[in-house]
Coordinates of all heavy atoms in Angstrom, one line a residue:
T22 N 5.1 3.6 1.2 CA 5.1 4.9 2.0 C 6.0 5.9 1.2 O 6.9 5.5 0.4 CB 5.8 4.7 3.4 OG1 7.1 4.3 3.2 CG2 5.0 3.6 4.1
G23 N 5.6 7.2 1.3 CA 6.3 8.2 0.5 C 6.0 8.0 -1.0 O 6.9 8.2 -1.8
A24 N 4.8 7.8 -1.3 CA 4.4 7.4 -2.7 C 4.2 8.7 -3.5 O 3.9 8.6 -4.7 CB 3.2 6.5 -2.7
N25 N 4.2 9.8 -2.9 CA 3.9 11.1 -3.7 C 5.0 11.6 -4.6 O 4.7 12.3 -5.5 CB 3.5 12.2 -2.7 CG 4.6 12.4 -1.7 OD1 5.1 11.5 -1.1 ND2 4.9 13.7 -1.5
R26 N 6.3 11.2 -4.3 CA 7.3 11.8 -5.2 C 8.6 10.8 -5.1 O 8.6 9.9 -4.3 CB 7.7 13.2 -4.8 CG 8.2 13.4 -3.4 CD 8.6 14.8 -3.1 NE 9.0 15.1 -1.7 CZ 10.2 15.0 -1.2 NH1 11.2 14.6 -2.0 NH2 10.4 15.2 0.0
G27 N 9.6 11.2 -5.8 CA 10.9 10.4 -5.8 C 10.7 9.0 -6.2 O 9.9 8.6 -7.0
F28 N 11.5 8.1 -5.5 CA 11.4 6.7 -5.8 C 10.1 6.1 -5.5 O 9.6 5.2 -6.3 CB 12.5 6.0 -5.0 CG 12.9 4.6 -5.5 CD1 12.8 4.3 -6.9 CD2 13.2 3.6 -4.6 CE1 13.2 3.0 -7.4 CE2 13.6 2.3 -5.1 CZ 13.5 2.0 -6.5
G29 N 9.4 6.6 -4.5 CA 8.1 6.0 -4.1 C 7.1 6.2 -5.2 O 6.3 5.3 -5.5
L46 N 0.7 5.9 0.6 CA 0.7 6.6 1.8 C 1.7 7.8 1.7 O 2.8 7.6 1.2 CB 1.2 5.6 2.9 CG 1.1 6.1 4.4 CD1 0.9 5.0 5.3 CD2 2.3 6.9 4.8
G47 N 1.3 8.9 2.2 CA 2.1 10.1 2.2 C 1.5 11.2 3.0 O 0.3 11.1 3.4
R48 N 2.3 12.2 3.4 CA 1.8 13.2 4.3 C 1.2 14.4 3.6 O 0.5 15.2 4.2 CB 2.9 13.7 5.3 CG 4.1 14.3 4.6 CD 5.1 14.8 5.6 NE 6.4 15.0 4.9 CZ 7.5 15.3 5.4 NH1 7.5 15.5 6.8 NH2 8.6 15.5 4.8
D49 N 1.5 14.6 2.3 CA 1.1 15.7 1.5 C 0.0 15.4 0.5 O 0.3 14.8 -0.5 CB 2.3 16.4 0.8 CG 1.9 17.6 0.0 OD1 1.1 18.4 0.5 OD2 2.3 17.7 -1.2
S52 N 0.4 16.6 -3.4 CA 1.3 15.9 -4.3 C 0.9 14.4 -4.4 O 1.1 13.7 -5.4 CB 2.7 16.0 -3.8 OG 2.9 15.7 -2.5
L73 N -1.1 10.3 5.6 CA -0.6 10.1 7.0 C 0.8 10.6 7.2 O 1.7 10.3 6.3 CB -0.6 8.5 7.3 CG -0.4 8.2 8.8 CD1 -1.5 8.6 9.7 CD2 -0.2 6.6 8.9
D74 N 1.0 11.4 8.2 CA 2.3 11.9 8.5 C 3.0 10.9 9.4 O 2.6 10.7 10.6 CB 2.2 13.3 9.2 CG 3.6 13.9 9.4 OD1 4.6 13.2 9.4 OD2 3.6 15.2 9.6
L75 N 4.1 10.3 8.9 CA 4.8 9.2 9.7 C 5.5 9.8 10.9 O 5.8 9.0 11.8 CB 5.8 8.5 8.8 CG 5.1 7.7 7.7 CD1 6.2 7.1 6.8 CD2 4.2 6.6 8.2
E76 N 5.7 11.1 11.0 CA 6.4 11.7 12.1 C 5.5 11.7 13.3 O 5.9 11.5 14.5 CB 6.9 13.1 11.8 CG 7.8 13.6 12.9 CD 8.5 14.9 12.7 OE1 8.4 15.4 11.5 OE2 9.1 15.4 13.6
G77 N 4.2 12.0 13.1 CA 3.2 12.2 14.2 C 2.3 11.0 14.4 O 1.6 10.9 15.4
H102 N 8.6 0.1 2.7 CA 9.0 1.2 3.6 C 10.0 2.1 2.8 O 11.2 1.9 2.9 CB 9.6 0.6 4.8 CG 8.7 -0.2 5.7 ND1 7.6 0.4 6.4 CD2 8.6 -1.5 5.9 CE1 7.0 -0.6 7.1 NE2 7.5 -1.7 6.8
N103 N 9.4 3.0 2.1 CA 10.2 3.8 1.2 C 10.5 5.2 1.8 O 11.5 5.8 1.6 CB 9.6 3.9 -0.2 CG 10.1 5.1 -1.0 OD1 11.2 4.9 -1.6 ND2 9.4 6.2 -1.1
A104 N 9.5 5.8 2.5 CA 9.6 7.2 3.0 C 10.8 7.3 3.9 O 11.2 6.4 4.6 CB 8.3 7.5 3.8
G105 N 11.4 8.5 3.9 CA 12.5 8.7 4.7 C 13.0 10.2 4.6 O 12.6 10.9 3.7
I106 N 13.7 10.6 5.6 CA 14.3 12.0 5.6 C 15.9 11.8 5.8 O 16.3 10.8 6.4 CB 13.7 13.0 6.6 CG1 13.9 12.5 8.0 CG2 12.3 13.2 6.2 CD1 13.6 13.6 9.0
I127 N 10.8 8.9 11.7 CA 10.3 8.6 10.4 C 10.9 7.4 9.7 O 10.3 6.6 9.1 CB 10.5 9.9 9.5 CG1 9.6 11.1 10.0 CG2 10.2 9.6 8.0 CD1 10.0 12.4 9.5
N128 N 12.3 7.3 10.0 CA 13.0 6.3 9.2 C 13.0 4.9 9.9 O 13.2 3.9 9.3 CB 14.5 6.7 9.1 CG 14.6 7.9 8.2 OD1 13.7 8.5 7.8 ND2 15.9 8.3 7.8
L154 N 13.6 0.1 2.5 CA 14.6 0.8 1.7 C 15.7 1.2 2.7 O 15.5 1.9 3.7 CB 13.9 2.1 1.1 CG 13.4 1.9 -0.3 CD1 14.6 1.7 -1.3 CD2 12.4 0.7 -0.5
S155 N 16.9 0.9 2.3 CA 18.1 1.1 3.1 C 19.1 2.0 2.3 O 18.6 2.7 1.4 CB 18.7 -0.2 3.5 OG 19.8 0.0 4.3
S156 N 20.3 1.9 2.6 CA 21.3 2.8 1.9 C 22.7 2.2 2.2 O 22.9 1.4 3.2 CB 21.3 4.2 2.5 OG 22.4 4.9 2.2
S157 N 23.7 2.6 1.4 CA 25.0 2.1 1.6 C 25.6 2.5 3.0 O 26.3 1.8 3.6 CB 26.0 2.6 0.5 OG 25.9 4.0 0.5
Y169 N 20.7 9.7 9.8 CA 20.3 9.0 8.6 C 21.0 7.6 8.6 O 20.4 6.6 8.4 CB 20.5 9.8 7.4 CG 20.2 9.1 6.1 CD1 18.8 9.0 5.7 CD2 21.1 8.5 5.3 CE1 18.5 8.4 4.5 CE2 20.8 7.8 4.1 CZ 19.5 7.8 3.7 OH 19.1 7.1 2.5
K173 N 19.5 3.8 9.1 CA 19.5 2.7 8.1 C 20.2 1.5 8.6 O 19.8 0.4 8.3 CB 20.2 3.2 6.8 CG 19.4 4.3 6.1 CD 18.0 3.9 5.6 CE 17.3 5.0 4.8 NZ 16.0 4.6 4.4
L197 N 16.7 -3.2 0.9 CA 17.2 -2.8 -0.4 C 17.9 -1.5 -0.4 O 17.4 -0.5 0.0 CB 16.0 -2.8 -1.4 CG 16.4 -2.3 -2.8 CD1 17.1 -3.3 -3.6 CD2 15.1 -1.9 -3.5
D198 N 19.2 -1.5 -0.8 CA 19.9 -0.3 -1.1 C 19.7 0.0 -2.6 O 20.3 -0.7 -3.5 CB 21.4 -0.4 -0.8 CG 22.2 0.7 -1.3 OD1 21.6 1.8 -1.7 OD2 23.5 0.6 -1.4
P199 N 18.9 1.0 -3.0 CA 18.6 1.3 -4.4 C 19.8 1.9 -5.2 O 19.7 2.0 -6.4 CB 17.4 2.2 -4.3 CG 17.6 3.0 -3.1 CD 18.2 2.0 -2.1
G200 N 20.8 2.4 -4.4 CA 21.9 3.1 -5.1 C 21.4 4.5 -5.4 O 20.3 4.9 -5.1
R201 N 22.4 5.3 -6.0 CA 22.1 6.7 -6.2 C 21.0 6.9 -7.2 O 20.9 6.2 -8.2 CB 23.3 7.5 -6.6 CG 23.9 7.1 -7.9 CD 25.4 7.4 -8.1 NE 25.8 6.7 -9.3 CZ 25.8 7.2 -10.5 NH1 25.3 8.4 -10.7 NH2 26.2 6.5 -11.5
M202 N 20.1 7.9 -7.0 CA 19.0 8.2 -7.9 C 18.8 9.7 -7.9 O 19.1 10.4 -6.9 CB 17.7 7.6 -7.4 CG 17.6 6.1 -7.5 SD 16.1 5.5 -6.9 CE 16.3 5.8 -5.1
K203 N 18.3 10.3 -9.0 CA 18.1 11.7 -9.1 C 16.8 12.1 -8.4 O 15.7 12.1 -9.0 CB 18.1 12.1 -10.6 CG 18.0 13.6 -10.8 CD 17.9 13.9 -12.3 CE 17.7 15.4 -12.4 NZ 17.5 15.8 -13.8
T204 N 16.9 12.3 -7.1 CA 15.7 12.7 -6.3 C 16.1 13.9 -5.4 O 17.3 14.2 -5.3 CB 15.2 11.6 -5.4 OG1 16.2 11.3 -4.4 CG2 14.9 10.3 -6.2
E205 N 15.1 14.4 -4.7 CA 15.3 15.5 -3.8 C 16.3 15.1 -2.7 O 17.2 15.9 -2.3 CB 13.9 15.8 -3.2 CG 13.8 17.2 -2.6 CD 14.2 18.3 -3.6 OE1 13.7 18.2 -4.8 OE2 14.9 19.2 -3.3
M206 N 16.2 13.9 -2.2 CA 17.1 13.4 -1.1 C 18.5 13.5 -1.6 O 19.4 13.9 -0.8 CB 16.7 12.0 -0.6 CG 17.5 11.6 0.5 SD 17.1 10.0 1.1 CE 15.7 10.3 2.1
R207 N 18.8 13.0 -2.7 CA 20.2 12.9 -3.3 C 20.7 14.3 -3.5 O 21.8 14.6 -3.1 CB 20.2 12.1 -4.6 CG 21.5 12.1 -5.3 CD 22.4 11.0 -4.7 NE 23.8 11.2 -5.2 CZ 24.8 10.4 -5.0 NH1 24.6 9.3 -4.3 NH2 26.0 10.6 -5.5
P222 N 14.8 7.7 -10.9 CA 14.2 6.6 -10.1 C 13.4 5.7 -11.0 O 13.3 4.5 -10.7 CB 13.3 7.4 -9.1 CG 13.3 8.8 -9.5 CD 14.5 9.1 -10.4
Ligands
LIG1 N1 17.9 9.0 -3.8 C1 18.9 8.2 -3.5 O1 20.0 8.4 -4.1 C2 18.9 7.1 -2.5 C3 20.0 6.3 -2.2 C4 20.0 5.3 -1.2 C5 18.8 5.1 -0.5 N2 17.7 5.9 -0.8 C6 16.4 5.6 0.0 O2 15.3 5.5 -0.9 C7 14.1 5.9 -0.3 C8 13.4 7.0 -1.2 O3 14.3 8.1 -1.3 P1 14.1 9.3 -2.3 O4 15.4 9.5 -2.9 O5 12.9 9.0 -3.2 O6 13.7 10.4 -1.3 P2 12.9 11.8 -1.5 O7 12.8 12.1 -2.9 O8 13.4 12.7 -0.5 O9 11.4 11.3 -1.0 C9 11.2 10.9 0.3 C10 9.7 10.5 0.5 O10 9.5 10.3 1.9 C11 8.3 11.0 2.3 N3 8.3 11.4 3.7 C12 9.3 12.0 4.4 N4 8.9 12.3 5.6 C13 7.6 11.8 5.7 C14 6.7 11.7 6.8 N5 6.9 12.3 8.0 N6 5.5 11.1 6.5 C15 5.2 10.6 5.3 N7 6.1 10.6 4.3 C16 7.3 11.2 4.5 C17 8.4 12.3 1.4 O11 7.2 12.9 1.4 P3 7.1 14.6 1.4 O12 7.0 14.9 -0.1 O13 5.8 14.9 2.1 O14 8.3 15.1 2.0 C18 8.7 11.6 0.1 O15 7.6 11.1 -0.5 C19 14.5 6.5 1.1 O16 14.3 5.5 2.1 C20 16.0 6.7 0.9 O17 16.7 6.6 2.2 C21 17.7 6.9 -1.7

Side-chain angles (χ1 to χ4, degrees):
T22 68
N25 57 312
R26 63 179 172 90
F28 196 35
L46 189 151
R48 63 180 161 183
D49 177 45
S52 51
L73 189 67
D74 184 340
L75 295 174
E76 188 175 353
H102 296 288
N103 165 78
I106 61 168
I127 295 164
N128 294 9
L154 267 292
S155 183
S156 164
S157 58
Y169 178 80
K173 295 300 186 183
L197 174 73
D198 169 14
R201 65 201 167 90
M202 291 177 290
K203 188 182 174 187
T204 66
E205 203 54 48
M206 183 179 281
R207 176 80 192 187

